[in-house]
Structures are given as C-alpha cells and as structure tokens.
C-alpha cells in the first residue's frame, strides 16, 4: 500500500470496481432499499450481526465505494459520507458533544462553520476561538468543559496554515481529540491523520468532486482517539467497539437518525471526479503559484496572500507540511471594496460563484457574500476584509489567466 504513489493508489486500491459485476467503477445503485431472502437475514443485518444493505439512508454500495476510496486516501479506518460538507461537520461534532460541552476552534474558519457553531449555542454547546492559529493560543481556551479542538488545514478564506503535528501534540497532552477540516488542502497535499489529527472532514463538494456537480461531505476517523465514558457519556455503549467506537456510534445513532445521507448518484459523481484529484491538484497548485507570483509584481498596491509565496507567514510551515504544493486558493486585497468589485467585473475567464475547488477559476468577494452573516469581529478573525477577493485557481492555461488578470488589474 505505502509503496504506491498517490495516483496509483487512488486508481487501483480500495473500493475501485464493482464486486458483483466487475464494472470498473461501482455503478449508481439508485435504490432506496435492498431485499433479502428471509426475515431472519434482514434481522441479522439490522442487528449488525451480518453484513448487507438494507436502506440507502444507512448504507448503499455506491456510497460505500466512495467512502472506501476516501478512507484509503486519508489513511483512516472508516468514513461516513453525508449530504454536504456542513452535514459531515455537524455529524462529526454532534456525535461526541452534549449540552455543557465546549469546542475550541481556530480563528480563521469557513463562514458556514462559524454559523454552525453559533447554532450550537441553542443546544448548550459553546465555542471558544483561539486568538491566533498557534498551539499556545488554542491551549489558552481549553478548560474542563472542552471536548474537542477544531481547525482547518488551510483556512478558507484566511489561508492560514495549521501546524497539525504541533497542534495535535498539544491537544493530546490534554487528552482531547483533534478534528481537522481538510477541504482546501485535500489528502493530496497532506494526510492530516498521519500528522496526529484524530478525525478529518472534507467538503467533497470542492476538490474531491472537482467539477461542481454534486454537494457532499465526508468524515474519516483515524481510530486513534481513546474515547472514555467519563468524558463522552454518549459513547458509553460503543466503547466496546474499540477503534470503531466513533464510527459505530454514528452509523447506529446520529448519522442514521439525522438522515443527512448522500445520494447514490452524487456518490458516483464523486468517485468519478476523485480519479483525477491528484492530476487536478497538481495543476491547481502550479497555476496558483504562477498566478500569485505574477499578480504580486503586476501592481504593488495589491496585496497577494498565498502560502506558497516566501513572504507569507505560513510559507515555511506549508513547505514542511505539504507535499506537491501550497493549494489552489489565493486572496488579493485590492485596496478598497470598489476596486475589488471593478477588478472582479472586468475579469472574463473566472466565474463569479461562491464555491472553491472547481476545474474553472472562480472568484468571489467574501465580505458581501459567504461571510455576510458573520459579525465584524468574526470577519476580522477570518481575514475577511472589505477589499478582499478570493480566487480559486482553476486548471486553465496559465498564460490566459495571467492575461485576463492583467487587463482586469490595469484597466483602471
Ligand atoms: C465549502 C466548505 C465547507 C462546507 O461544505 P458544503 O459541501 O458546502 O456543505 C466546509 N468547510 C470548508 C473549508 C469549505 O470550503
């Protein structure tokens, strides 16, 4: 397993072909339910005493094929695919939390996650934000009610890079689990479980799917955290499953009952898109670095933020932590909101949309869109300024992108 490179392993290992027909990609099992020969057999499946499919909200061969691929890529012991990245995050957190518990989170989070943490307050779950993305700053927020620590590998849109080994080391010294959102980096850049994170969540709507044709999310458990019933009373009945305790609780409990399952069709689209993840990421990273270097010499008034630029405060960490590149997202500070809008409106190639990780270059003004519902303090902490443009660099021909940005920046 370890001897294969990223792409070979992705294409030839774990959940590739359909075991029942030999189809080279598991087909879309577009079925809500699966029949069995006897009442006893179905009973055994429901009791988890025999393996089998029963109902697509619980499991399905196409969804399982997608889960197996991501489990292999992230180096975990099991995954649960969900209807969206937000559903995967909700499941990942609520599987272990109860009223009175606290989360310690990174300052530069995705806006949707900040909103979600605010929603959790109604259920008695509080989130404390670290004042900066350093292990010491996270540690300051930990108290006896803390039950998990959460960060993004590369913050979206702040583009701060988390030092995963150092953070995991600190978090484990408090006997807590570390949950990472790896959406912007993907397992192509870094296997966060290998660096000490306990659970990893990906919004597979982004790079994993790659073509913006299906919303989905997936969480993967590394099986490394030792759950105790004292700290996590909800897991008491599952501790007997050992390493599988967390996934077993999800599958028999919250995930099944919240019902935010993935559709088989979207699982198939993800399996299809996933095959070229390595190839696309290679190009995204190369184009992003080229474009960042180009943009910073184009206009000194424009501040370019990219972890692959040597002046980035995260450059050395990114260099050490990531293989093959620094990700596909760049942000620009245009000087004013008006200029940011003018540049965006003059661009002809990039598409103005709210997501990241498409084959096409995408741009957005976060302050007026995805971070609209964040408070001014939350915006500041997430690096969302009024003049900020986020660019998710696509796989186009780089010379075309450079020419388009040149005319957009210089056309004042
Ligand atoms: C998009 C995104 C999410 C949410 O995923 P959805 O699939 O849109 O629900 C979570 N985290 C990060 C970092 C994201 O970019």
């Amino acid at each position: 397993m370890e001897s294969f490179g990223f792409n070979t392993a992705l294409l030839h290992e774990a959940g590739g072909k359909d075991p029942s027909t030999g189809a080279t990609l598991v087909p879309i099992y577009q079925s809500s339910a699966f029949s069995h020969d006897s009442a006893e057999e179905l009973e055994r499946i429901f009791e988890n005493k025999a393996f089998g499919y029963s109902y697509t909200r619980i499991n399905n061969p196409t969804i399982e094929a997608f889960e197996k691929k991501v489990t292999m890529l992230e180096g975990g012991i099991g995954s649960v695919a969900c209807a969206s990245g937000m559903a995967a995050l909700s499941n990942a957190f609520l599987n272990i939390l109860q009223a009175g518990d606290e989360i310690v989170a990174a300052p530069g989070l995705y806006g949707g996650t900040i909103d979600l943490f605010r929603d959790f307050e109604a259920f008695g779950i509080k989130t404390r934000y670290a004042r900066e993305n350093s292990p010491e700053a996270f540690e300051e927020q930990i108290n006896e009610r803390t039950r998990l620590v959460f960060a993004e590998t590369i913050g979206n849109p702040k583009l701060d890079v988390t030092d995963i080994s150092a953070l995991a080391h600190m978090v484990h010294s408090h006997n807590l689990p570390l949950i990472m959102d790896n959406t912007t980096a993907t397992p192509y850049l870094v296997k966060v479980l290998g660096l000490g994170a306990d659970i990893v969540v990906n919004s597979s709507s982004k790079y994993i799917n790659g073509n913006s044709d299906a919303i989905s999310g997936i969480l993967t458990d590394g099986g490394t955290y030792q759950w105790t019933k004292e700290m996590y009373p909800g897991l008491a009945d599952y501790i007997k499953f050992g390493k599988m305790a967390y996934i077993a609780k999800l599958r028999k409990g919250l995930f099944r009952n919240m019902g935010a399952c993935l559709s088989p069709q979207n699982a198939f689209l993800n399996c299809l898109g996933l095959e070229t993840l390595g190839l696309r990421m290679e190009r995204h990273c190369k184009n992003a670095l080229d474009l960042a270097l180009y943009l910073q010499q184009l206009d000194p008034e424009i501040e370019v933020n990219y972890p692959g630029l040597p002046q980035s405060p995260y450059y050395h960490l990114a260099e050490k932590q990531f293989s093959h590149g620094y990700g596909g997202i760049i942000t620009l500070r245009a000087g004013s909101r008006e200029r940011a809008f003018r540049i965006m409106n003059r661009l002809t190639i990039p598409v103005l949309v709210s997501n990241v990780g498409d084959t096409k270059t995408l741009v957005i003004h976060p302050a007026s869109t995805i971070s609209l519902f964040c408070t001014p303090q939350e915006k500041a902490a997430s690096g969302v300024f009024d003049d900020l443009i986020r660019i998710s660099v696509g796989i186009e021909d780089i010379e075309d992108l450079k020419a388009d940005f040149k005319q957009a920046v210089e056309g004042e």
Side-chain angles (χ1 to χ4, degrees), residues 84-86 89 110 152 156 181 183 203 205-206 215-216 356:
S84 66
M86 292 317 301
L89 285 166
Y110 175 71
E152 292 172 8
N156 176 12
D181 180 333
T183 303
S203 163
S205 317
K206 315 292 171 54
I215 295 290
S216 66
V356 297

Side-chain angles (χ1 to χ4, degrees), residues 197-245:
D198 298 287
I199 290 154
V200 57
V201 182
N202 282 282
S203 163
S204 36
S205 317
K206 315 292 171 54
Y207 291 105
I208 287 181
N209 167 280
N211 302 285
S212 302
D213 57 24
I215 295 290
S216 66
I218 185 160
L219 66 88
T220 305
D221 184 9
T224 39
Y225 186 75
Q226 301 275 325
W227 307 99
T228 61
K229 60 179 191 305
E230 291 72 30
M231 288 276 282
Y232 304 92
L235 273 140
D237 291 344
Y238 298 91
I239 287 169
K240 61 175 184 272
F241 294 103
K243 280 183 182 308
M244 293 305 290

Side-chain angles (χ1 to χ4, degrees), residues 47-104:
E47 288 175 344
N48 286 311
K49 288 185 177 144
F51 181 77
Y53 302 100
S54 56
Y55 192 51
T56 287
R57 171 154 53 74
I58 299 162
N59 64 358
N60 171 289
T62 318
I63 299 171
E64 205 172 82
F66 173 56
E67 289 171 341
K68 280 189 176 156
K69 281 175 197 279
V70 174
T71 300
M72 190 276 295
L73 285 183
E74 288 286 12
I77 60 161
S79 296
V80 176
C82 302
S84 66
M86 292 317 301
L89 285 166
S90 303
N91 273 280
F93 300 132
L94 295 177
N95 194 40
I96 53 177
L97 297 178
Q98 60 180 39
D101 290 348
E102 292 190 3
I103 298 168
V104 170

Side-chain angles (χ1 to χ4, degrees), residues 118-138:
R118 204 179 301 125
D119 291 334
F120 282 0
E121 286 174 15
F123 303 95
I125 297 165
K126 184 181 163 78
T127 302
R128 292 180 192 273
Y129 291 95
R131 67 185 152 74
E132 58 172 40
N133 193 343
S134 71
E136 302 73 43
F138 280 89

Side-chain angles (χ1 to χ4, degrees), residues 220-297:
T220 305
D221 184 9
T224 39
Y225 186 75
Q226 301 275 325
W227 307 99
T228 61
K229 60 179 191 305
E230 291 72 30
M231 288 276 282
Y232 304 92
L235 273 140
D237 291 344
Y238 298 91
I239 287 169
K240 61 175 184 272
F241 294 103
K243 280 183 182 308
M244 293 305 290
Y246 179 91
I247 296 276
K249 174 167 187 285
L250 261 181
R251 289 218 175 268
K252 293 182 78 170
L254 192 81
F255 167 73
R256 157 192 301 220
N257 301 331
M258 293 234 292
C261 64
L262 184 56
S263 77
Q265 158 115 353
N266 287 353
F268 177 82
L269 291 169
N270 288 345
C271 287
L272 192 61
L274 193 55
E275 298 215 330
T276 56
L277 177 67
L279 204 55
R280 284 182 285 108
M281 284 305 287
E282 193 180 322
R283 179 70 165 248
H284 284 300
C285 292
K286 186 173 183 310
N287 275 0
L289 181 59
D290 277 11
L291 190 64
L293 289 166
Y294 180 74
L295 289 171
Q296 70 170 0
Q297 53 82 44

